[in-house]
Amino acid sequence: MSTWISETAVARLRMMVRAGLLLVCLPLAACLDVAGEAGPDNALRAVAFYDGKVIVTGPRGYCIDRSSVKRGPAGRFALLASCESLTDQPGISVEPAVLTVAVLPHAPSAEQPSSEAMAEALGRGSVRDTEDGDGIALVHIAQGGDTVLPGGDPSYWRASMVINGHLVGLAAYGPKDGAIAGTGGRDLLRDLAETLRAASPAPDSVSRDVTEIDIQGGTGGLFRGLFPVSN
């Protein structure tokens, strides 16, 4: 079982990430609350936002922290970590990481920003590398990850994409000197983006009124808003 993200670390993360959400989505900066200890009920397989137009689910081995899911007029938010760390039960071994997904309201003008545009908005002094992929733009940030994630590496990754007219911001944080701080974070965000795109309905398809799917299988401004210059 993953030991890097302990119950105490997860609880601390939920507090520390309040400020760190400004690095992901300004309107959602205070959306995380401290919750209880790890357990099966804390993990979700998937959550649907905006009447099912955007379905958030993690790559294999990663689950959604139920207590992190927030819905508000400014947008939606979910935090993911290894299913092992969220359930405190043995499972699929994956790289220890914390992933965030921020989804802004639908906008007809929503377009995929380039990694260069992201770098400009973030400030080039903090950007290590940029990359544009198939429907995703990625930026490697040199510093700040350890202020969001206790015990984490300063270096972390951000990405942006568009799903059904919703601008989506992704971020990946990992332990100091771990794989996620390097190319592993880029690869994990690519996997997350593909998983989100595959789970979400095709454009113009019928909305699904799904809200949450738990670990047991039961039901349960735009660009600058995602990546504010001031942070």
Side-chain angles (χ1 to χ4, degrees), residues 21-27 102-104 113 122 158-161 167-170 221-228:
L21 286 183
L22 286 171
L23 303 173
V24 183
C25 185
L26 183 60
V103 186
L104 295 189
L122 294 166
R158 294 182 184 171
S160 64
M161 61 188 298
L167 188 59
V168 180
L170 312 175
L222 286 174
F223 181 53
R224 290 174 64 86
L226 282 176
F227 304 105

Side-chain angles (χ1 to χ4, degrees), residues 28-142:
L28 301 177
C31 74
L32 283 190
D33 296 314
V34 179
E37 297 181 349
D41 291 342
N42 290 345
L44 298 172
R45 292 290 189 190
V47 62
F49 290 146
Y50 294 106
D51 296 323
K53 290 300 184 184
V54 179
I55 306 294
V56 176
T57 185
R60 186 171 182 266
Y62 293 93
C63 293
I64 299 165
D65 180 350
R66 183 191 297 272
S67 67
S68 76
V69 177
K70 300 297 175 183
R71 297 176 175 87
R76 309 289 190 263
F77 179 85
L79 178 149
L80 300 88
S82 73
C83 299
E84 286 188 329
S85 66
L86 291 176
T87 63
D88 199 26
Q89 295 180 350
I92 300 169
S93 294
V94 295
E95 285 290 341
V98 169
L99 308 174
T100 61
V101 179
V103 186
L104 295 189
H106 181 271
S109 60
E111 295 182 357
Q112 172 64 49
S114 69
S115 61
E116 287 298 310
M118 291 172 61
E120 289 293 338
L122 294 166
R124 288 191 171 275
S126 65
V127 175
R128 281 187 169 179
D129 196 11
T130 62
E131 181 177 317
D132 290 291
D134 184 13
I136 184 174
L138 300 113
V139 177
H140 194 192
I141 311 298

Side-chain angles (χ1 to χ4, degrees), residues 59 62 95-100 131 136-141 153 155-159 170-175 177-193:
Y62 293 93
E95 285 290 341
V98 169
L99 308 174
T100 61
E131 181 177 317
I136 184 174
L138 300 113
V139 177
H140 194 192
I141 311 298
D153 196 280
S155 183
Y156 66 103
W157 288 84
R158 294 182 184 171
L170 312 175
Y173 306 89
D177 299 324
I180 299 302
T183 57
R186 176 200 63 192
D187 296 341
L188 186 54
L189 286 189
R190 285 175 177 170
D191 290 345
L192 177 60

